[in-house]
Amino acid sequence: MSTTTAQPLDVDVLVIGSGAGGLSAAVTAAYHGLKVAVVEKAAVCGGATSWSGGWAWTPGNPLAKADGVDEDREQFRTYLRHRLGGNYDAGRVDAFLEAVPHMVGFFEQKTSLQFTPGAKINDIYGKTPGAGTGHRSVGPAPINARRIRPEVRAKMRHQLYETSFLGMGIMAGPDLTKFLGASQGSISGLLHAAKRFVPHVFDLLVHRRNMQLVNGTALTGRLMKSADDLGVEIRISTPARRLLTDAAGAVTGAEVEGPDGRYVITARRGVVLATGGFPQDVERRRKLFPKTPTGTEHWTLAPKEVTGDGLTLAEAAGAQFKTDLASPAAWCPVSLVPYASGREGVFPHIMDRAKPGSIGVRRDGKRFVNEANGYYDYVAALFEATPEGEEVASWQIADARFVRRYPLGMAKPLPVPLFPYLRSGYLKKGRTLEELARNCGIDPQGLKDTVARFNEHARRGADPDFDRGETSFNRYGGDPKTSPNPSLAPLEKGPFYAVKVVPGSFGTFAGIDVDSRARVLNAAGTPIGGLYAVGNDQASVMGGHYPAGGINLGPALTFGYVAARDAAGVTAYEDAAGAVPAI
């Protein structure tokens, strides 16, 4: 029998979880005059969102219109119909596309969440009808954490160390480009790096944390500031243990467990599940993930607390677990980073694969994918290429020129030395390709033949095997200073290096079945009163596909906004344009 020692709490809306979806719902509900509480299982807020790039796929957003790009919504539908195929859910897709511009406009105009446009970020499949070549994404504008109250700041998750430079986040776009320029001797790049890094060292000494928030930390930081400004109560280290229901089966609140014990939170207008899906649930991974026989042959980028609590709570209330998607998870290739303390970090291979002078091979030494395509495609192709019973793994191979100009996994370019990564075993090295292959357990002749063929065509800017560099997405991820193809360069200059890459994920696609208003559905397809699911708790509106970067965060923010408005009884959008105010 549990002991209840804390005082009960009455609110209008209870949000369980504090990633992009949960905080979006909390801020929107509070703006519409509702009393809102957020409970978070972990000791800090932000979930996997804080460790992400922070970019959200938001086609038709008002920042694009402000830049003079006003695409017809049918173009977005066309692209999604082709990419999602039989997983295309017209009702939910239309609800998403209709709400996106209003969601972005709302946060820009009414809250502290400000965005920067993804003018040059392309949809992944550039040859697909309806594909976009920019302006379909937004990212959070950087923010200094000094603008956030210390009490709130103490509840914020730090930048993921593996994707930082000594704890300092680097934002995709001009910020990253200038840092890479510094490694190549650019004076402006060196000045930019110094301008960013010197204040970071000061912040570490004074505040004991990174204060220059970019990427996912900027997104959750701005959302938490917005929630704080609107009076949202955020309680950390407080997991939800069970949902409360009335005689008709409608959800009326939850029993939670905080530092002072168990207590009840009554929610008059609804409960929003936003716990981040189930990427750390080993048993569900075992059942649903391919070639993961024990559930442990997978390394997610989500925090350890994301174990499927929202799904468990929802199923107990009669919800359905929707698994008939194209894929159960948002795959991402990762490498495992050993530390002297014994800890093992997880590094996401997002940008290095597209840079010229590097390829991915399996143990037979053969390529298996267009390395410059999306991270999801890399892992999906790796699953398909790996024979049953064999370890699912690949090696990202590069030459000496590459590793001094670009990152290779966790290993940084000049002026950062390579020896710590070599000493730990994270980075493998060989004077020749054959020696590298033997050090990695790769077939030496297979690797030598593959590199020879790749080099022959790369010099001409071509890749007849996988068409690398033929789309705007590929070329944007490359190096514009490399010609004739920004994504291709031969691997010629020894010594040669490699990092082992294994299957990972950003989060899960399978999830709670919901309708176009994010209301949780029961076995009969009827909404369960008072219960919503957003973020990775709900089954992905993309049907288990990955058509563009940001297709987790875009829907998370949007359906959090939709769910909160539904709980508040607000049905009509305030304006048709979602115009961005002058700043």
Side-chain angles (χ1 to χ4, degrees), residues 470-516:
E470 290 195 6
T471 65
S472 298
F473 180 85
N474 284 182
R475 290 172 177 261
Y476 178 72
D479 185 341
K481 296 186 293 295
T482 299
S483 62
N485 190 322
S487 191
L488 293 172
L491 288 71
E492 296 176 312
K493 183 175 174 56
F496 299 90
Y497 298 85
V499 170
K500 188 176 184 179
V501 177
V502 293
S505 67
F506 291 113
T508 46
F509 282 152
I512 301 165
D513 197 13
V514 299
D515 66 8
S516 60

Side-chain angles (χ1 to χ4, degrees), residues 130-408:
T133 56
H135 293 94
R136 291 186 178 179
S137 300
V138 296
I143 182 174
N144 196 297
R146 292 180 183 85
R147 292 179 53 192
I148 302 170
R149 286 197 309 120
E151 296 84 353
V152 177
R153 201 161 65 215
K155 298 177 182 179
M156 290 167 42
R157 187 177 294 276
H158 289 232
Q159 171 84 30
L160 180 64
Y161 183 78
E162 283 72 28
T163 57
S164 72
F165 181 66
L166 299 178
M168 181 182 70
I170 299 175
M171 188 175 183
D175 191 26
L176 175 59
T177 300
K178 291 176 181 177
F179 267 96
L180 290 178
S183 72
Q184 298 167 23
S186 163
I187 298 300
S188 62
L190 289 168
L191 291 174
H192 175 80
K195 182 179 178 182
R196 289 274 276 109
F197 189 65
V198 171
H200 173 65
V201 173
F202 174 81
D203 290 336
L204 292 180
L205 292 172
V206 175
H207 301 285
R208 304 295 181 185
R209 66 162 297 140
N210 173 31
M211 299 292 282
Q212 303 172 66
L213 305 184
V214 299
N215 303 331
T217 57
L219 179 57
T220 52
R222 284 183 173 277
L223 281 168
M224 289 181 70
K225 182 181 186 308
S226 301
D228 185 49
D229 292 342
L230 290 165
V232 174
E233 183 171 356
I234 299 177
R235 299 187 176 189
I236 56 174
S237 302
T238 304
R241 297 305 186 190
R242 67 182 181 93
L243 296 177
L244 307 176
T245 57
D246 62 16
V251 173
T252 59
E255 182 180 7
V256 303
E257 186 169 11
D260 296 327
R262 293 200 179 203
Y263 59 98
V264 165
I265 300 180
T266 302
R268 291 178 287 272
R269 296 290 190 94
V271 173
V272 180
L273 299 174
T275 66
F278 61 95
Q280 291 283 13
D281 186 325
V282 173
E283 180 59 21
R284 285 192 178 106
R285 291 198 315 227
R286 183 187 68 79
K287 292 178 179 177
L288 295 173
F289 287 16
K291 297 182 179 176
T292 312
T294 69
T296 59
E297 302 86 355
H298 180 86
W299 292 267
T300 183
L301 291 156
K304 67 181 187 323
E305 293 87 1
V306 189
T307 55
D309 291 14
L311 178 55
T312 300
L313 292 167
E315 286 185 307
Q320 299 301 294
F321 182 22
K322 187 173 176 63
T323 61
D324 58 341
L325 285 75
S327 171
W331 308 127
C332 177
V334 302
S335 52
L336 307 180
V337 186
Y339 292 103
S341 64
R343 185 177 78 85
E344 188 173 66
V346 180
F347 179 89
H349 286 257
I350 296 174
M351 61 159 290
D352 56 345
R353 297 172 292 103
K355 293 291 183 281
S358 176
I359 58 172
V361 301
R362 292 189 56 257
R363 62 182 294 182
D364 58 9
K366 297 178 181 179
R367 294 173 68 211
F368 58 94
V369 71
N370 175 346
E371 299 92 343
N373 264 1
Y375 22 80
Y376 174 92
D377 298 300
Y378 188 102
V379 176
L382 182 58
F383 279 134
E384 186 175 350
T386 303
E388 202 64 44
E390 187 176 302
E391 180 190 16
V392 182
S394 67
W395 292 88
Q396 198 66 26
I397 309 291
D399 70 359
R401 272 181 312 200
F402 183 100
V403 297
R404 297 294 68 198
R405 294 171 65 89
Y406 315 109
L408 181 60

